[in-house]
Amino acid sequence: MAASPLQVGLAGLGTVGAGVIRLLAANADLVAARAGRPIAVTAVSARDRHRSRGVELNQFAWEDDATRLATRADVDLVVELVGGADGPALTLARATLGAGKPLVTANKAMLAHHGLELATLAEETGAALRFEAAVAGGIPVIKGLREGAAANRLARVYGILNGTCNYILSRMAAEGLEFADVLADAQAQGYAEADPSFDIDGVDAAHKLALLSALAFGTPPDLTKIDSEGIRRVRLADVRQAEALGYEVRLVGIAERVGNSLAGRVVPSLVPRAHPLASVTGPLNAVVAEGDFVGRLLFVGAGAGAGPTASAVVADLIAIARGETGPAFSTPAAQLEPLPAAGPAERSGRFYLRLRVADRPGVLADLTAILRDSGVSIESLNQPAGGADGTALVVMVTHECAETAARAAVVRMAALSAVAEPPLLMPLLTTEE
């Protein structure tokens, strides 16, 4: 006797939602064989019932209110692709898990803000909560950390978590373009939203890093523990100076345990060319995890798009159909241990510092005096020829120092009348990171 289908209610029919429907239709036999039973969408919900999405929707029951998917008798499991940290997505998630039905979501913002609550609810009702598609698109990094590296103590997890930023930085380097020009083109091609703030200011990457931190360190996802800085102020000059030093500029999210604290930050960084992240270009994502027994793990692939993200969603459906269970964040929700945030005082390293200053005598002496007084020594200094506007670029790389010292120096430099724009400070990664 054939196994009954796993009946899916799908909320959200954007690019990814339509991709899920196409994938389940195209690979129906393969999915059924690997899941042990067919997987079929039975009901759907979206804001606009009449908009064309390139897939036939008449075969599915329609719900104007997505929350009703959670209580339909012909829905065993709900896929939430609505998006947003709160609102309808959170209401649907609570209703689904509260009804004891599994929830699959790609919503990193909702999980970053409400992950502990939802994980607790899932465990109370015995429902699975899966979110492979929430981090790094089609890369199976969640499964890799939750299951493949489950026997390891992880010291650090980090990577390139936003494809839009990586696409912009890669094109700046490859084509010699300024940030604003690449961003405008990325928006025209659909790689960046009309309002790109979520991506280029590091918010999207911070959400993902919060989830990776929870999995890696057994702590509740908590955005307040993550400092985030985007790539708005990265110039072509920075990319070229980094290249001359043997580095590539990447927006990197890094989470690590420092003593009994959690250090989490999203920041544009100089990555050595010998480091695996340096070769990750275009809209790709990459995640590195370091375990005490497994060593360094590297996950690389497409971080967004209909196909890769739908692939991750359906992978979760297959896992649930197989009966695979377990806590959402690997550790039971009641045992997730909040860790205090490690501030700049607990971080140290080498830093790249770029300033644009008035091209006149004495300015460089003032800058180096500030560094000296802040306890920061200079490893290298470069001052290209001055520009026609009477300013000059000054680029320094520091020796190893406390981040607090470097940031204090930057604050003092920014207050000088000779400094024409806010200085840019970026950490230098090592090949060991």
Side-chain angles (χ1 to χ4, degrees):
M1 181 176 177
S4 60
L6 178 68
Q7 301 177 111
V8 176
L10 176 59
L13 292 170
T15 301
V16 177
V20 169
I21 292 173
R22 290 192 190 95
L23 193 160
L24 287 173
N27 290 353
D29 292 344
L30 176 68
V31 168
R34 292 180 175 174
R37 60 193 292 199
I39 297 178
V41 175
T42 54
V44 297
S45 179
R47 282 181 294 184
D48 184 352
R49 185 169 187 167
H50 303 290
R51 183 166 69 86
S52 175
R53 295 170 172 87
V55 292
E56 180 55 58
L57 299 178
N58 291 335
Q59 58 187 312
F60 312 125
W62 181 277
E63 291 286 1
D64 289 316
D65 179 3
T67 309
R68 291 174 61 88
L69 294 173
T71 56
R72 287 185 65 101
D74 61 350
V75 168
D76 303 316
L77 174 154
V78 172
V79 174
E80 182 278 309
L81 301 173
V82 176
D86 301 287
L90 182 58
T91 300
L92 175 60
R94 287 169 171 163
T96 301
L97 296 172
K101 294 184 178 181
L103 177 73
V104 172
T105 179
N107 194 334
K108 63 262 184 184
M110 179 179 71
L111 292 171
H113 286 277
H114 305 286
L116 179 59
E117 174 202 340
L118 296 176
T120 301
L121 180 58
E123 291 175 28
E124 288 173 350
T125 62
L129 171 59
R130 312 283 295 207
F131 53 93
E132 187 66 67
V135 178
I139 308 171
V141 64
I142 301 300
K143 190 176 184 70
L145 294 183
R146 181 166 49 198
E147 300 173 26
N152 287 255
R153 295 183 186 277
L154 298 181
R156 183 185 294 115
V157 60
Y158 61 102
I160 296 168
L161 303 176
N162 184 270
T164 298
C165 289
N166 209 50
Y167 172 83
I168 291 171
L169 293 172
S170 297
R171 283 199 59 196
M172 289 173 67
E175 301 177 36
L177 300 172
E178 284 290 355
F179 170 82
D181 297 326
V182 181
L183 173 59
D185 189 55
Q187 289 172 311
Q189 294 193 50
Y191 283 115
E193 302 289 342
D195 179 0
S197 303
F198 195 72
D199 292 316
I200 65 174
D201 290 335
V203 179
D204 173 76
H207 286 153
K208 296 171 183 175
L209 188 62
L211 303 184
L212 292 175
S213 297
L215 286 162
F217 308 120
T219 187
D222 188 350
L223 275 176
T224 66
K225 306 288 176 61
I226 297 174
D227 299 327
S228 60
E229 180 181 344
I231 63 170
R232 284 184 189 268
R233 297 200 298 121
V234 177
R235 304 285 183 261
L236 177 60
D238 299 312
V239 174
R240 292 293 182 248
Q241 289 293 319
E243 290 172 345
L245 293 166
Y247 293 80
E248 302 290 342
V249 179
R250 298 285 184 264
L251 182 69
V252 180
I254 306 174
E256 59 187 333
R257 287 195 72 144
V258 179
N260 198 38
S261 301
L262 176 65
R265 57 180 173 167
V266 174
V267 62
S269 307
L270 272 66
V271 178
R273 288 210 186 96
H275 195 286
L277 292 186
S279 61
V280 178
T281 59
L284 295 178
N285 281 192
V287 176
V288 179
E290 297 175 2
D292 55 352
F293 276 76
V294 76
R296 176 186 280 179
L297 298 171
L298 173 64
F299 304 85
V300 181
T309 311
S311 172
V313 169
V314 175
D316 279 344
L317 298 181
I318 291 171
I320 291 169
R322 289 171 173 169
E324 295 179 11
T325 59
F329 295 105
S330 190
T331 302
Q335 297 176 31
L336 293 172
E337 178 190 3
L339 295 174
E346 298 175 77
R347 300 196 295 253
S348 63
R350 296 161 63 225
F351 294 90
Y352 167 97
L353 173 60
R354 181 258 292 157
L355 304 102
R356 184 164 292 282
V357 300
D359 190 9
R360 62 172 186 252
V363 173
L364 192 57
D366 291 340
L367 298 176
T368 55
I370 288 174
L371 288 171
R372 178 200 63 210
D373 295 343
S374 301
V376 178
S377 64
I378 301 170
E379 179 180 299
S380 66
L381 186 151
N382 184 27
Q383 185 178 3
D389 61 353
T391 65
L393 192 72
V394 176
V395 174
M396 304 179 194
V397 174
T398 74
H399 283 291
E400 178 106 7
C401 65
E403 185 174 330
T404 47
R407 292 196 178 278
V410 166
V411 170
R412 290 184 60 192
M413 289 175 175
L416 295 176
S417 60
V419 175
E421 61 183 39
L424 177 66
L425 186 73
M426 296 190 288
L428 277 67
L429 269 62
T430 67
T431 53
E432 287 74 34
E433 290 181 296

